[in-house]
Amino acid sequence: MQCAKKDECKAHCSFRLASVMIMKLSIFSRLITGYISLVVLATGVSVYAIIQLGHVRDVTHSIIFVDNPLLVLHKNLSDALLSETRYEKKFIIMHDEALHESFLKSTADFDQYLADAARRTDSAEVEDVLTRVAELHGAYQALFNEEVEYLKTGKKYDAAWYADEKEKTVNTLIDELMKVRTLSQTSIFNKVKELSEAGTRAINAAMVTTAASLVLGIVLSVFITASITVPLSEMKKKTTEISRGVYNADLNLTSPPEIGALAQAFNRMCEKLKEVDKMKSDFYSLMSHELRTPLTSIKEGTNLLFEGLGGAVTEKQKRLLSIIAEESNRLIGLVNSLLDISKLEAGMVAYNFTKTGLNPLITRAVNEIAPLAEAKRIRIETGLGELPALTLDPERILQVLRNLIGNALKFTPRSGTVSISSRLTDGGAVVSVSDTGPGIPKEHAAVIFDKYRQAAVASPHRLQGTGLGLAIVKHIIHGHGGKVWVESEVGRGSTFTFVLPA
């Protein structure tokens, strides 16, 4: 049991070591490794195919130059033997020397064919058969020669016995020649079968290797592509976060060394951007705090002068004091917005959550801004659905509503319409503020909730803002666990919508 656990531990360690080594490979090394693997696999298939083709060539050569000629030689041997027996029988009867010469010629042909067969065969079994054929043929010739001598000398002999012995020898010789034919045919059949098996093996090897190459190619392609594209995708997501003002230096990628080095540089850049953003926020917070007191003093002093407490004020001086008061109020609003966004980003805002109705807050915000709408002859329409009491901070939600309705009035032309609606859905309480203004281009719709970003709308009369109102709206809504977005089309107005949990 301990040995099994030790082996399993070794295998696991080896796999982890191999994985680490692979991850350390550069992109170039990974590509080269993949290509070499495929080339090695293809080379192995080619070598195997060449070996199989060489084997097919050898077997085919054996069939053409050994087995087929043996079949032809078998026929020639049989024909020569038949000629010998025919001339031998005629000579015994007729004693014609021409017949004896023809017998000798057939004998020479038989011996030549037999020698050719012995030279061509590559089978020990066939060689043994041919040896027996040679011995039987020699015995047949010896019997015939003995009988010829008896005929030449005129001595009496047992012709029947010689005829019987020669016939037995020839029959045995024919049987042995049939064995040569049978062995040759069997050899051809076996070799053809071997060719078929070699072809089958080659086809199977080609199919298996093709499938393996395809699978290996896909695996290597997916692995190499994923090892490049996945880290790049993560870096793309991180870039999107940076564009939204999130500078967390937490990009830790398992990737090739080149992309890993790029990720480290990316993290260092995030750290620097975070430092710069913090310095900027601290600067704005400090300046806002320091500017609030003198601006308030300027505002109060302007009001005192306007009321004549510092002496008589002419109409021209009143107009100048009105301008100073208006600009002071605008600067104080900017300072307050800067302080709000700084506190919201730092998480220093304490929300006073209570069970409150949302529709009364909408009505209050509409009533507050109604005089401005009447001055611009803008019609405000409300369509408030039935909503339950929600857990929210009334003052902060009022701030959201003032911002959204104020923006709608700001960008809606005279005699336009601003619509405010509320409804209950499965996702929560939904509030929408729509206007009939110039609309927002799509490329700006995604960034208008960022700090100091305003949409470039086609309206020469639009009021310039700080670019902080919608950023404050986003922070407050997110602080309530909700979400906010805009839907807009150039020339058809905009609709700002936020959802609060119900």
Side-chain angles (χ1 to χ4, degrees):
M1 182 68 70
Q2 291 180 350
C3 292
K5 289 184 178 180
K6 187 179 293 184
D7 292 339
E8 184 179 351
C9 182
K10 287 182 178 179
H12 181 67
C13 292
S14 300
F15 176 77
R16 289 189 61 185
L17 180 61
S19 301
V20 171
M21 292 178 65
I22 290 174
M23 295 313 300
K24 287 184 178 180
L25 291 176
S26 64
I27 296 175
F28 177 78
S29 300
R30 294 183 186 200
L31 292 173
I32 291 298
T33 301
Y35 294 149
I36 289 176
S37 300
L38 293 175
V39 168
V40 168
L41 189 59
T43 303
V45 175
S46 300
V47 170
Y48 181 78
I50 290 171
I51 292 173
Q52 291 299 318
L53 288 174
H55 181 62
V56 169
R57 179 201 60 198
D58 294 339
V59 173
T60 305
H61 184 276
S62 177
I63 292 173
I64 294 173
F65 293 101
V66 176
D67 297 312
N68 278 338
L70 281 178
L71 291 176
V72 175
L73 288 170
H74 164 267
K75 183 178 182 304
N76 293 336
L77 286 168
S78 298
D79 292 343
L81 180 61
L82 183 61
S83 296
E84 283 185 83
T85 57
R86 186 170 61 249
Y87 290 127
E88 172 258 322
K89 289 178 181 179
K90 288 181 179 181
F91 177 77
I92 296 299
I93 296 171
M94 302 176 64
H95 306 290
D96 187 353
E97 192 61 32
L99 294 173
H100 186 255
E101 292 295 329
S102 296
F103 172 82
L104 294 177
K105 184 178 182 303
S106 296
T107 299
D109 290 341
F110 186 93
D111 291 338
Q112 182 180 349
Y113 294 145
L114 187 61
D116 194 9
R119 185 175 65 253
R120 287 181 176 275
T121 186
D122 57 0
S123 169
E125 192 174 1
V126 175
E127 287 181 359
D128 292 340
V129 174
L130 292 176
T131 300
R132 290 195 297 274
V133 167
E135 293 173 352
L136 290 168
H137 187 255
Y140 170 71
Q141 284 181 307
L143 289 170
F144 176 70
N145 289 334
E146 289 178 7
E147 196 171 4
V148 169
E149 287 298 323
Y150 281 120
L151 291 173
K152 285 182 179 180
T153 58
K155 294 180 180 180
K156 290 184 178 181
Y157 68 97
D158 190 353
W161 181 84
Y162 274 98
D164 186 54
E165 287 297 320
K166 286 187 293 183
E167 187 173 357
K168 289 180 181 179
T169 304
V170 169
N171 289 336
T172 305
L173 187 55
I174 291 173
D175 290 340
E176 293 297 325
L177 288 175
M178 285 303 298
K179 288 183 180 179
V180 173
R181 179 181 179 84
T182 302
L183 290 173
S184 297
Q185 290 176 335
T186 303
S187 177
I188 291 174
F189 175 78
N190 290 335
K191 289 176 181 178
V192 170
K193 183 178 179 182
E194 187 177 352
L195 285 177
S196 176
E197 291 175 351
T200 302
R201 288 196 299 271
I203 292 173
N204 291 338
M207 292 176 63
V208 171
T209 308
T210 301
S213 300
L214 182 62
V215 172
L216 180 61
I218 293 174
V219 170
L220 288 174
S221 299
V222 170
F223 173 73
I224 294 173
T225 304
S227 68
I228 298 171
T229 56
V230 171
L232 292 179
S233 177
E234 291 297 321
M235 295 184 70
K236 179 183 176 182
K237 292 180 182 177
K238 193 65 180 177
T239 305
T240 304
E241 290 181 7
I242 290 176
S243 68
R244 294 173 179 170
V246 180
Y247 305 118
N248 295 329
D250 55 358
L251 192 60
N252 186 18
L253 302 176
T254 304
S255 60
E258 300 94 330
I259 300 180
L262 182 60
Q264 294 301 318
F266 210 89
N267 285 334
R268 290 193 293 272
M269 180 188 71
C270 289
E271 292 174 356
K272 294 294 183 182
L273 288 173
K274 194 171 184 178
E275 291 178 7
V276 171
D277 189 63
K278 186 177 184 304
M279 291 172 60
K280 181 185 67 176
S281 298
D282 291 345
F283 172 77
Y284 282 136
S285 179
L286 177 63
M287 291 302 297
S288 300
H289 186 269
E290 294 297 325
L291 285 172
R292 176 181 283 183
T293 300
L295 284 173
T296 303
S297 298
I298 292 172
K299 177 184 177 182
E300 293 301 324
T302 302
N303 290 335
L304 291 175
L305 291 173
F306 192 82
E307 292 172 1
L309 296 179
V313 181
T314 65
E315 289 299 322
K316 184 176 182 180
Q317 289 173 334
K318 286 184 178 181
R319 286 197 301 273
L320 292 174
L321 289 172
S322 296
I323 294 172
I324 294 172
E326 183 179 345
E327 294 301 317
S328 296
N329 288 331
R330 192 172 72 84
L331 286 174
I332 290 171
L334 173 60
V335 169
N336 289 335
S337 295
L338 286 170
L339 285 174
D340 284 342
I341 196 69
S342 297
K343 290 178 181 178
L344 288 167
E345 288 182 338
M348 297 173 61
V349 173
Y351 291 100
N352 297 316
F353 289 104
T354 58
K355 280 285 186 180
T356 307
L358 184 57
N359 284 338
L361 297 178
I362 296 173
T363 302
R364 178 178 170 185
V366 170
N367 291 335
E368 289 176 358
I369 210 163
L372 178 60
E374 291 176 2
K376 292 186 65 177
R377 297 181 181 177
I378 293 174
R379 185 172 71 258
I380 297 180
E381 297 178 348
T382 57
L384 307 182
E386 186 174 347
L387 299 177
L390 305 177
T391 302
L392 49 81
D393 184 332
E395 289 302 320
R396 291 298 177 184
I397 295 301
L398 268 175
Q399 188 177 1
V400 168
L401 292 168
R402 289 165 182 156
N403 253 312
L404 294 179
I405 298 173
N407 276 347
L409 289 176
K410 184 189 300 183
F411 293 104
T412 299
R414 295 178 70 85
S415 302
T417 303
V418 172
S419 302
I420 302 102
S421 64
S422 65
R423 64 188 185 278
L424 185 64
T425 66
D426 293 338
V430 181
V431 177
S432 297
V433 179
S434 302
D435 62 56
T436 55
I440 303 170
K442 288 183 179 180
E443 60 269 21
H444 296 139
V447 299
I448 59 173
F449 289 99
D450 296 341
K451 291 185 300 182
Y452 317 115
R453 300 294 293 270
Q454 289 182 303
V457 296
S459 175
H461 304 295
R462 73 181 180 90
L463 299 175
Q464 295 293 334
T466 62
L468 293 173
L470 291 178
I472 292 172
V473 167
K474 181 181 74 172
H475 277 285
I476 292 174
I477 296 299
H478 287 179
H480 281 70
K483 57 183 179 179
V484 61
W485 67 91
V486 63
E487 297 171 350
S488 182
E489 186 176 345
V490 175
R492 293 181 178 273
S494 305
T495 300
F496 286 84
T497 304
F498 66 86
V499 180
L500 295 177

